[in-house]
Amino acid sequence: MPRLKNKEDYLNLEIGNYEVWVRKRYKILYTLNDFMIGLWFLAGSILFLFESAKTVGAWLFIVGSLQLIMRPAISLANDLHVKRQNERLNRSKRENR
């Protein structure tokens, strides 16, 4: 049966011999990034309605696009962190045998 431990800085899901660590800071960063992407694209879309503000709108689309590129980078950073935590945990378990 899966067990979920909610620690201050991470969630630890244990399923049999497997553990998954999800850092809350990555979840917060990912959500904040998504929220900001929405704001940039909404503002850019509104500004694009006005001829005098199209350049600013285009820049906001560029910023939003760069943040879309950051999404997989945040996810990859979390995955690498989880991998390192699992490797450390496995080493610790082997040493304690």
Side-chain angles (χ1 to χ4, degrees):
M1 183 68 153
R3 291 186 326 190
L4 181 64
K5 297 178 186 174
N6 189 357
K7 301 291 184 182
E8 205 169 294
D9 62 339
Y10 66 90
L11 291 174
N12 182 13
L13 178 62
E14 295 180 7
I15 304 172
N17 293 331
Y18 298 96
E19 290 191 36
V20 178
W21 299 50
V22 179
R23 292 280 183 182
K24 288 182 183 177
R25 65 180 167 201
Y26 290 108
K27 175 74 172 155
I28 292 168
L29 184 60
Y30 200 83
T31 302
L32 180 62
N33 186 57
D34 280 353
F35 183 73
M36 291 175 62
I37 290 168
L39 286 177
W40 299 140
F41 276 94
L42 177 63
S45 298
I46 292 169
L47 291 174
F48 236 70
L49 295 173
F50 305 100
E51 197 63 41
S52 61
K54 282 192 176 182
T55 301
V56 175
W59 277 107
L60 290 175
F61 288 141
I62 291 169
V63 169
S65 297
L66 289 172
Q67 283 192 269
L68 282 172
I69 293 170
M70 288 173 50
R71 292 180 83 211
I74 294 168
S75 181
L76 181 61
N78 183 47
D79 291 345
L80 291 173
H81 190 95
V82 167
K83 182 180 182 212
R84 276 188 263 127
Q85 291 288 354
N86 281 335
E87 287 172 352
R88 186 180 311 150
L89 181 65
N90 289 335
R91 254 193 321 271
S92 174
K93 285 181 179 179
R94 281 191 303 261
E95 291 171 359
N96 290 331
R97 288 185 194 170

